[in-house]
Amino acid sequence: MPSPGECLARILDEGRYCASRTLGEAGAAELHLHAMERFVALEPTIPPFRGSMNRALFSYGPPVLALYQALMHDLGVDREPALGLAEEMLQAFVRKQLTRRPLLNAAMRVVFRLKPARSLLMRSLRKEEPDGFRFEEASDPGALWAFDVRECALVRFARRHGAPEIVPMICRVDDLVAKELHGLELRRTGTLGTGAERCDFRYVDVRK
């Protein structure tokens, strides 16, 4: 998984056509400059996670916030259009990443269907550290794999910076990734980022 700084650079690159279409070429160039400046200012506030899982799950938070701040505060874009463009750019980046890693996608499908592999992954998710994510395994006979997120580092980070509204777009990245798990479906009733008391991840085998 790329670092937050690398993520921002790639989001700006892969989402450049979205920015150019909305802001014009000059506006897209200005966005690139200001988003990088915003990220440099945010970087000292990124939690120093020890675990690779926490680092990976958190990696979209700072770049999305920097992009959103640049759109609103430097380019004067209103809140809803700024959220919409930031999400367009994020999804363009994620889709490109998914097309570049077919072997990893295939490996994920295998991992999700093998109980020992799921157990190993769950153990890595349950490793707690300050300001990190907190996972709990859940019981759901209708799901191949079920767990809840009870605490979210992205929510804390976004609230600390006065922009909790950016989190739902990052939650929706899970839905994009899940579409690559052919034969599996992610079902959720809510997320911490949208105000629910938990993120209830339920991966269901939908093969016929």
Side-chain angles (χ1 to χ4, degrees), residues 23-180:
L23 305 170
E25 286 298 330
E30 193 177 351
L31 174 60
H32 191 288
L33 173 65
H34 288 301
M36 297 301 287
E37 290 173 344
R38 291 279 176 179
F39 180 80
V40 170
L42 287 170
E43 202 165 13
T45 70
I46 296 175
F49 295 122
R50 298 185 305 274
S52 59
M53 189 64 71
N54 272 300
R55 289 197 302 271
L57 294 171
F58 185 78
S59 61
Y60 292 147
V64 168
L65 179 58
L67 189 61
Y68 179 60
Q69 287 179 333
L71 284 166
M72 286 195 66
H73 304 305
D74 299 309
L75 277 76
V77 179
D78 289 339
R79 170 178 156 149
E80 292 308 316
L83 286 170
L85 179 53
E87 182 162 14
E88 254 195 291
M89 295 176 72
L90 174 62
Q91 292 206 2
F93 160 67
V94 172
R95 287 192 178 97
K96 180 64 78 171
Q97 291 294 105
L98 292 172
T99 63
R100 288 174 176 166
R101 58 179 208 184
L103 291 178
L104 180 57
N105 296 336
M108 286 173 62
R109 291 195 291 272
V110 172
V111 166
F112 277 46
R113 287 199 168 95
L114 294 176
K115 187 173 181 180
R118 293 198 305 271
S119 297
L120 185 62
L121 186 54
M122 196 68 229
R123 280 200 296 274
S124 70
L125 290 174
R126 280 201 300 257
K127 290 179 180 176
E128 294 184 21
E129 57 181 308
D131 293 324
F133 296 81
R134 183 165 67 85
F135 292 81
E136 290 180 358
E137 198 159 11
S139 177
D140 188 333
L144 183 67
W145 191 25
F147 61 87
D148 296 328
V149 182
R150 293 292 183 175
E151 293 181 17
C152 177
L154 290 166
V155 170
R156 277 195 297 268
F157 180 77
R159 284 177 178 166
R160 191 178 306 144
H161 291 283
E165 62 270 24
I166 69 165
V167 180
M169 77 173 76
I170 302 174
C171 299
R172 287 189 284 272
V173 168
D174 296 323
D175 300 310
L176 283 182
V177 174
K179 288 178 181 176
E180 299 300 314

